[in-house]
Amino acid sequence: MINEASYWITLAHLPDWGNSKINNLIIKFHHNYQISIDEFFNLDEQVWRKEYELEEKQIIDLKKAKSEITNNSFIAESLLNQGFEIIPITLPEYSQTLKSNLKSKYSPPILYIKGNKSILNEESIAIVGSRDASKNALLFTDNIAKKASIESKTIVSGFAKGVDKKALDSAISYHCNSVIVLPQGIMTFTSGYKDYYKQVVDGELLILSTFFPKLPWKVELAMARNPIIYGLADEIYVAESSEKGGTWSGVIDGLKKNRRVFVRIPEANEKNANNILIEKGAIPVDINGIETQANLKLDDDNSNIQTSIF
Amino acid sequence: MMNRIEAEDRLLKTFKIPNFYDEQWITISKILNGEKVLLIEKTGFGKSLCFQFPATVFDGLTIVFSPLISLMRDQVKKLNSLGINAKCINSEQTIEENNQIINEAINGNLKILYIAPERQENSEWLESTLKMKIAMVVVDEAHCISVWGHDFRPSFKRIINLVKLLPKGLPILATTATATKRVENDIIEQIGDNIISIRGNLMRDNFKLFVIKVSSEDEKMMWLGRHINSFPGNGVIYTGTRVNTEVYANWFEYLGISSTSYNAGLDSESRVEIENGLMNNRWKCIISTNALGMGIDKPDIRFVIHTQIPQSLIHYYQEIGRAGRDGETSYVILFYNPKDKSLPQAFIEGARPSINKYEKVISTIKKELLGERELMKATNLKLNQVRVIKSDLIEQGIIREVLLGRSKKYEFIPKSKKLDNDAFEKLKESKLKDLQSMIDYVEAESPRMKFICDYLGDNSKQEYINCDNTSEKKINVKIKPEWEEKLKDFREDKFPILEVESKGSKIVNGIASSFYGVSDVGKLIYSSKYENGGDYPETLLNLFVKAYSKNYKYENFDVIIHIPPSISGNLVRHFASKVSKKLKIPISHDLIKIRETRQQKEFENNYLKAENISDAFEFKNPTRLKNKNILLIDDVFDSGVTIKEVGKYLSKLGVSKITPLVIAKTVGGDVL
Ligand SMILES: Nc1ncnc2c1ncn2[C@@H]1O[C@H](COP(=O)(O)OP(=O)(O)OP(=O)(O)O)[C@@H](O)[C@H]1O
Ligand SMILES: [Mg+2]
């Protein structure tokens, strides 16, 4: 796999292809023809055209990509030397939750990670919410982290201010495993890394990014990262959402896909869109993350949790 | 693809060379075909052409990894003179210069770019590689990849991973003259099965090889002093240590022999200057450590003389490889005094810090992500110790280097194996065996060239007649009394310089009355200082006063000030008082420490040393020093940190000048 790293980097970031087309190609060479990625790239153009039924434009793109493998080798060497890993979608280490949530249409073809990658296939929850979160939202976040720790679940968050940061710090304080999904290329994650180095070394924290490793932070990347956070989690907990922005659109999208989304019931004086999300079908939970009576009847299992928390 | 005739046509036009050697063409045609080759050929064979020629044919840039800056510069200069656009980026050029060159590489104006493998640690470089059109990758002096090689470089090892990542069809050439079978196998094993190796014979038949046995360093100095000018042309003298490059250069200067010293301790400007001077035969000889060597291509170096045996016969083959690259007769001489063995031996045996220092580094790094400097502070280890430990731990897969923006940090690798002490022992044994090969060479009675070739794994059958074991006469050293006299006079006349001048300080460069390691000076100081030997003896006082009168007889000093001690003990104070009496210069004991400092030698690195004594000094009655000319006395000059700090402080008090004078100077090491 190590030797294929530069090929995977090249394929994963083919400009204008989008994950869907790239994944379809991967399915073809990996599942249908059962060849490795470097074998695929070294195939004759004719084979690409005939057997892989690639369009001329795609062949041009792939030829250009092929010439860039050399360039990406330099980045790949540095990346691997620094202990980052590349996990292609074809490997079992790739998050199966992510794959089943996002399907081949949206799943990123590779994950860049550092840390204990076995975390990726543990049961997980995401905690999301706004950057300037209210006191209640932060308290909620902390409670959910505590709950996750008791249930041995991994916490996925986005390494932004507010709820994200709280989710991470609480996870750490309760020794709960966590994944942070970066809004930037993994090699540009510098200042934050120093602070959480110890947790990475101890195997409690996994750093993950899906972007080209050298890309610096951008608003667009922060937006593009949200589906990954939602996708990596089995359940989603919303501490606080306004009526637009990343949290909002992520939840709406999740509801459409029938995901289990829990939203904190706001107090009367709070100005946020939590209630609207509940109206749209999200499951209301109290400040401790416990489903309200009405819902509990439908789901007996959770009564155990209630007692065990207190 | 072009055939040999077309290629040679092009060769003549571009390189002014009419023909390839057969093995060159075999290599080049494979390279043009996109293959990966490890080429092992003798020194001076023409391995560079095997990548330089294809580089001019390819559309795109050739990146050459090279271990030495002097070697990069040498090759770039030659290529440029042929009108081929080659450049190097390295740590001795400014960031602007390097960026400019990187831009040229991106714009496609450059054909060949030389870099050190450490460049892969540079974030800007990595980003720029994304925009270059890269046609080939070369690893020059590829033996640096292997720990069993004579010059292992951890960062070279990373090139292996790069090579593995590069796509099929990208030509890769690795070259070296000095790979034993073991090193060759190691390289091939690491790179994998898609690299083929080509090996030629290593015989250099234009060498005249001699070994001169002596019984002291003095004999070497006297013999060289007497004979060096009768050697034809120009050459290089290799000494084992930096301090000896200075000692020999001083000696030659004293004798009026044109020479200069070269070592890695010099600033880059001086080094470039000397490298250019070497090419233009500015000096009869250059006295150098092995910092000047690997790969350097000057056609007419007529002699290479070693005053000290290198660490192994492979080192030796590499270093003498600089001689006679034009194929003309050249003298290759090795001095040997049985005592010389102790230097490389000590180096091999003492090269590694103790295991608990390794453990200290590991446990420190486990807790926190640290840079080199932070690590030094956290562990109180010397820079070179930290470096050795770091690279061993990286090699063993226990820590790794990461980049946080521009700064390098070291992180622990979770679940890594325990420190493997045996690996060090094995390596040490292997190195001691290599050293033995060097001694065996000295004692050999068989043809010397054959001895070397056999050792390097070249078993081709040839006639060997080029040494003092075959057709050449043995050289014996006979010393005339007049030379003993000359050497004695030199010792009393020439003094080591203390370089302490700095902007904003009134301190000027001073002198030491001797080098620490020369004759008995070091021993005497050590005995007084650490073995309760009492005050510094008369011998040292006389030496000191002699140094004074040779250098400062006409200088009018107003007052002698001495460095106050860190712990009790008045060695320097007493010594300075005696000097004052003898020279009739008033002395003041008023320079004191205002806070407790620890002994400088407790601190293993200069950062901590500077911190230890920063703002630690005060002069009682400071106004008295206004416009005074000061002679500043200390016993041993090592890092110079203390003297510089005192100089800075006294300058603030308005003194007119400070001249430091010490008993002994150490060079590049903490002898004490
Ligand atoms: N085919 C050739 N005909 C004549 N001269 C040549 C030929 N090939 C190379 N040379 C000359 O041989 C000299 C030595 O070449 P080069 O520096 O490449 O040696 P090398 O094999 O790299 O040695 P080292 O191992 O010492 O680095 C150069 O000056 C070069 O111009
Ligand atoms: Mg060379």
Side-chain angles (χ1 to χ4, degrees):
Chain A
M1 172 28 229
I2 285 177
N3 297 3
E4 295 177 352
S6 41
Y7 288 86
W8 279 110
I9 295 177
T10 309
L11 180 64
H13 305 292
L14 267 175
D16 306 329
W17 274 46
N19 291 347
S20 170
K21 270 193 199 161
I22 294 172
N23 286 333
N24 284 339
L25 183 62
I26 294 173
I27 291 168
K28 267 191 200 155
F29 72 74
H30 181 75
H31 290 283
N32 302 359
Y33 289 98
Q34 308 213 342
I35 59 171
S36 64
I37 186 167
D38 57 320
E39 286 169 325
F40 169 75
F41 267 101
N42 288 307
L43 287 176
D44 201 79
E45 206 180 308
Q46 285 307 324
V47 182
W48 283 352
R49 192 171 287 120
K50 296 227 172 72
E51 294 180 26
Y52 285 78
E53 294 163 336
L54 294 172
E55 299 157 15
E56 287 314 303
K57 162 82 171 66
Q58 291 180 311
I59 290 173
I60 293 170
D61 289 349
L62 283 174
K63 271 165 61 181
K64 180 155 182 294
K66 190 174 169 180
S67 75
E68 286 164 0
I69 295 168
T70 302
N71 304 70
N72 286 332
S73 302
F74 286 79
I75 290 278
E77 190 279 328
S78 172
L79 193 81
L80 298 174
N81 190 60
Q82 295 185 61
F84 297 107
E85 291 177 66
I86 294 172
I87 307 184
I89 193 162
T90 52
L91 291 186
E93 287 99 325
Y94 189 95
S95 163
Q96 299 305 313
T97 314
L98 184 66
K99 211 154 103 179
S100 71
N101 281 332
L102 297 191
K103 307 284 178 327
S104 73
K105 188 153 185 216
Y106 298 111
S107 290
I110 61 178
L111 305 177
Y112 298 93
I113 60 132
K114 179 176 253 183
N116 176 4
K117 62 187 167 205
S118 68
I119 293 178
L120 273 181
N121 282 314
E122 287 170 2
E123 212 181 321
S124 58
I125 61 161
I127 310 179
V128 299
S130 57
R131 297 167 63 88
D132 26 36
S134 66
K135 242 171 84 184
N136 280 343
L138 295 178
L139 179 59
F140 174 80
T141 303
D142 190 67
N143 288 340
I144 300 298
K146 211 184 295 172
K147 185 163 112 114
S149 150
I150 291 163
E151 295 168 9
S152 301
K153 287 180 183 167
T154 294
I155 295 177
V156 184
S157 62
F159 207 71
K161 281 192 289 214
V163 168
D164 285 7
K165 181 75 172 19
K166 183 71 191 167
L168 175 59
D169 289 340
S170 294
I172 288 168
S173 70
Y174 301 127
H175 288 285
C176 184
N177 287 346
S178 53
V179 178
I180 53 177
V181 184
L182 299 176
Q184 70 209 96
I186 201 158
M187 288 173 98
T188 70
F189 182 57
T190 53
S191 55
Y193 182 58
K194 203 169 159 47
D195 299 335
Y196 294 98
Y197 161 75
K198 186 82 174 63
Q199 282 70 37
V200 176
V201 168
D202 291 344
E204 295 179 355
L205 174 61
L206 180 81
I207 297 164
L208 183 147
S209 163
T210 58
F211 306 114
F212 188 76
K214 277 275 176 189
L215 274 189
W217 184 89
K218 260 196 305 204
V219 181
E220 293 89 323
L221 300 191
M223 291 302 280
R225 160 202 59 170
N226 286 324
I228 308 294
I229 299 175
Y230 289 88
L232 281 166
D234 299 304
E235 292 172 344
I236 300 152
Y237 284 83
V238 182
E240 187 159 35
S241 176
S242 57
E243 214 170 335
K244 57 178 197 303
T247 309
W248 171 264
S249 51
V251 176
I252 296 295
D253 187 53
L255 289 173
K256 250 188 252 161
K257 291 178 181 143
N258 288 325
R259 306 280 317 272
R260 279 168 75 80
V261 181
F262 301 93
V263 174
R264 179 180 60 86
I265 302 165
E267 285 176 13
N269 58 350
E270 283 185 37
K271 285 201 181 76
N272 54 43
N274 287 17
N275 276 327
I276 308 179
L277 288 175
I278 292 169
E279 276 163 34
K280 286 186 180 290
I283 304 160
V285 288
D286 67 13
I287 190 96
N288 296 312
I290 308 300
E291 285 180 46
T292 49
Q293 285 308 333
N295 288 306
L296 260 183
K297 275 182 216 140
L298 303 171
D299 193 350
D300 291 342
D301 282 357
N302 281 7
S303 52
N304 304 336
I305 299 163
Q306 194 173 22
T307 43
S308 62
I309 285 175
F310 298 99
Chain B
M1 209 181 80
M2 69 173 78
N3 62 30
R4 181 162 180 171
I5 297 176
E6 290 162 352
E8 289 183 336
D9 211 37
R10 204 176 161 132
L11 178 69
L12 186 61
K13 280 198 202 105
T14 335
F15 287 89
K16 317 278 180 294
I17 293 177
N19 303 102
F20 291 116
Y21 308 132
D22 288 346
E23 275 157 335
Q24 280 178 326
W25 176 245
I26 293 172
T27 308
I28 289 169
S29 51
K30 288 192 186 309
I31 292 298
L32 292 175
N33 196 28
E35 295 177 45
K36 305 189 190 330
V37 182
L38 168 62
L39 177 67
I40 304 169
E41 293 282 353
K42 66 182 156 206
T43 51
F45 167 78
K47 293 184 286 296
S48 319
L49 196 63
C50 298
F51 58 84
Q52 289 171 345
F53 178 80
T56 63
V57 175
F58 289 136
D59 172 26
L61 176 72
T62 291
I63 293 179
V64 183
F65 288 101
S66 175
L68 285 180
I69 295 175
S70 53
L71 175 56
M72 297 185 199
R73 283 195 286 253
D74 182 45
Q75 299 216 347
V76 165
K77 228 183 312 165
K78 288 221 178 73
L79 288 164
N80 291 165
S81 74
L82 293 167
I84 297 162
N85 199 357
K87 298 247 160 89
C88 61
I89 49 183
N90 62 56
S91 57
E92 291 184 358
Q93 288 165 189
T94 61
I95 294 177
E96 290 74 34
E97 273 175 278
N98 284 338
N99 285 344
Q100 165 89 36
I101 292 165
I102 287 176
N103 278 335
E104 268 186 72
I106 292 172
N107 296 336
N109 295 332
L110 213 54
K111 280 276 114 188
I112 306 183
L113 180 61
Y114 288 87
I115 62 171
E118 285 81 1
R119 201 44 54 181
Q120 273 294 92
E121 295 158 12
N122 181 295
S123 169
E124 281 91 11
W125 159 255
L126 284 176
E127 266 159 53
S128 57
T129 56
L130 293 173
K131 302 176 215 144
M132 294 174 187
K133 183 168 184 191
I134 299 163
M136 161 167 61
V137 171
V138 175
V139 191
D140 199 12
E141 309 295 356
H143 55 268
C144 296
I145 288 174
S146 170
V147 269
W148 309 113
H150 58 89
D151 241 324
F152 172 62
R153 288 261 296 263
S155 51
F156 258 76
K157 218 174 152 147
R158 292 182 57 178
I159 302 178
I160 301 247
N161 292 331
L162 177 65
V163 167
K164 284 183 177 168
L165 287 161
L166 287 166
K168 226 168 126 185
L170 187 88
I172 293 172
L173 180 65
T175 70
T176 175
T178 45
T180 56
K181 267 280 168 215
R182 181 178 198 181
V183 171
E184 177 182 349
N185 292 340
D186 190 29
I187 295 174
I188 290 190
E189 206 168 285
Q190 292 189 61
I191 291 185
D193 44 6
N194 48 12
I195 186 161
I196 54 159
S197 78
I198 297 177
R199 194 184 244 280
N201 79 68
L202 301 174
M203 165 80 158
R204 298 287 311 269
D205 54 12
N206 59 325
F207 286 180
K208 285 191 185 304
L209 300 159
F210 297 88
V211 172
I212 306 181
K213 292 192 177 171
V214 294
S215 53
S216 71
E217 197 65 23
D218 286 4
E219 283 185 9
K220 301 174 194 168
M221 291 177 78
M222 290 184 283
W223 193 90
L224 284 172
R226 167 141 184 236
H227 294 283
I228 199 78
N229 270 332
S230 20
F231 279 92
N234 313 79
V236 180
I237 296 179
Y238 286 109
T239 64
T241 58
R242 287 185 192 179
V243 68
N244 268 345
T245 64
E246 276 191 47
V247 170
Y248 274 85
N250 281 354
W251 167 232
F252 281 5
E253 188 190 332
Y254 181 77
L255 296 173
I257 297 165
S258 126
S259 79
T260 189
S261 67
Y262 182 102
N263 60 55
L266 294 174
D267 61 80
S268 64
E269 262 166 61
S270 320
R271 284 161 66 176
V272 173
E273 182 73 17
I274 295 170
E275 288 158 22
N276 290 336
L278 167 71
M279 292 300 162
N280 304 324
N281 295 331
R282 197 181 310 158
W283 303 279
K284 180 74 189 172
C285 62
I286 293 195
I287 301 157
S288 179
T289 59
N290 60 7
L292 182 78
M294 229 194 281
I296 294 280
D297 183 44
K298 178 182 194 294
D300 56 350
I301 291 181
R302 290 277 76 86
F303 58 90
V304 170
I305 299 171
H306 282 74
T307 69
Q308 162 71 46
I309 49 167
Q311 256 189 70
S312 78
L313 200 52
I314 320 169
H315 282 90
Y316 190 57
Y317 181 72
Q318 173 69 250
E319 287 162 25
I320 62 178
R322 301 317 105 206
R325 291 163 81 91
D326 53 6
E328 302 292 318
T329 299
S330 306
Y331 290 87
V332 173
I333 295 175
L334 173 66
F335 278 102
Y336 183 66
N337 169 4
K339 276 195 200 144
D340 293 347
K341 206 172 124 180
S342 60
L343 181 73
Q345 205 162 16
F347 189 77
I348 293 166
E349 287 179 339
R352 290 212 145 64
S354 62
I355 293 301
N356 59 7
K357 288 185 174 154
Y358 280 83
E359 299 291 357
K360 196 168 173 186
V361 169
I362 295 174
S363 65
T364 309
I365 291 183
K366 254 187 198 165
K367 288 196 282 276
E368 216 182 337
L369 190 64
L370 296 173
E372 183 176 83
R373 195 181 161 157
E374 296 161 320
L375 195 53
M376 282 162 71
K377 281 197 176 189
T379 56
N380 186 24
L381 292 172
K382 275 186 221 167
L383 179 62
N384 54 0
Q385 288 179 324
V386 166
R387 290 199 171 149
V388 170
I389 294 175
K390 251 171 37 188
S391 73
D392 283 340
L393 293 180
I394 291 173
E395 164 74 15
Q396 292 203 4
I398 296 172
I399 66 168
R400 61 168 87 95
E401 190 173 276
V402 298
L403 296 171
L404 292 199
R406 283 221 172 81
S407 64
K408 279 191 233 166
K409 307 274 172 189
Y410 299 90
E411 74 175 22
F412 180 73
I413 301 177
K415 302 203 183 95
S416 52
K417 278 186 285 184
K418 273 221 156 75
L419 182 67
D420 177 8
N421 202 9
D422 284 354
F424 298 151
E425 287 304 315
K426 254 189 229 148
L427 198 60
K428 194 197 280 180
E429 264 164 44
S430 145
K431 291 204 159 159
L432 286 172
K433 230 165 93 193
D434 286 344
L435 174 59
Q436 189 55 44
S437 71
M438 197 62 237
I439 313 283
D440 292 347
Y441 171 82
V442 169
E443 304 295 351
E445 285 168 13
S446 54
R448 296 198 186 277
M449 197 71 229
K450 179 167 174 13
F451 192 94
I452 298 176
C453 289
D454 282 350
Y455 188 76
L456 281 161
D458 165 20
N459 308 318
S460 49
K461 287 222 161 28
Q462 309 190 48
E463 205 191 357
Y464 299 93
I465 47 166
N466 60 345
C467 72
D468 57 1
N469 282 342
T470 51
S471 36
E472 302 294 326
K473 229 180 113 208
K474 290 222 182 296
I475 301 176
N476 293 309
V477 178
K478 283 177 232 110
I479 300 296
K480 290 203 180 126
E482 62 174 279
W483 277 94
E484 312 250 359
E485 238 359 83
K486 271 190 198 169
L487 187 58
K488 190 158 159 272
D489 291 348
F490 159 72
R491 290 255 158 79
E492 292 172 355
D493 253 25
K494 274 290 222 170
F495 301 91
I497 310 281
L498 312 179
E499 299 200 24
V500 290
E501 279 174 12
S502 65
K503 254 201 223 120
S505 174
K506 293 281 185 189
I507 200 161
V508 298
N509 289 347
I511 55 160
S513 60
S514 164
F515 281 113
Y516 188 89
V518 169
S519 60
D520 283 342
V521 174
K523 253 181 261 159
L524 293 173
I525 294 177
Y526 193 89
S527 146
S528 294
K529 230 176 154 165
Y530 301 109
E531 297 172 341
N532 299 321
D535 275 356
Y536 290 133
E538 282 294 304
T539 345
L540 294 180
L541 184 65
N542 292 338
L543 200 68
F544 192 91
V545 170
K546 218 183 261 170
Y548 175 87
S549 20
K550 286 276 181 199
N551 294 278
Y552 301 113
K553 198 153 54 187
Y554 303 109
E555 178 94 33
N556 286 315
F557 290 108
D558 297 310
V559 61
I560 289 176
I561 293 179
H562 60 86
I563 302 286
S566 344
I567 35 172
S568 59
N570 283 316
L571 282 174
V572 177
R573 182 190 174 120
H574 292 169
F575 186 78
S577 299
K578 288 182 196 163
V579 172
S580 153
K581 218 177 266 164
K582 233 184 179 146
L583 300 179
K584 305 195 170 58
I585 302 171
I587 186 164
S588 159
H589 302 298
D590 290 347
L591 183 67
I592 53 157
K593 286 209 179 126
I594 46 170
R595 61 178 173 81
E596 206 52 45
T597 60
R598 286 156 64 189
Q599 267 186 294
Q600 285 291 68
K601 79 173 182 91
E602 280 179 37
F603 294 95
E604 308 227 31
N605 61 60
N606 281 0
Y607 300 126
L608 296 175
K609 278 183 184 164
E611 220 165 72
N612 181 38
I613 46 135
S614 149
D615 295 324
F617 297 100
E618 193 171 281
F619 197 82
K620 298 186 218 155
N621 247 324
T623 46
R624 278 190 301 140
L625 289 184
K626 200 139 191 73
N627 299 322
K628 292 286 190 292
N629 188 4
I630 289 162
L631 181 65
L632 181 63
I633 294 182
D634 200 359
D635 48 4
V636 181
F637 180 94
D638 181 27
S639 64
V641 169
T642 308
I643 283 190
K644 280 187 210 160
E645 175 69 22
V646 169
K648 219 166 68 189
Y649 171 71
L650 294 179
S651 303
K652 276 191 241 156
L653 305 183
V655 303
S656 67
K657 186 170 157 194
I658 309 148
T659 309
L661 182 58
V662 303
I663 307 175
K665 175 190 178 185
T666 69
V667 174
D670 305 300
V671 183
L672 296 182

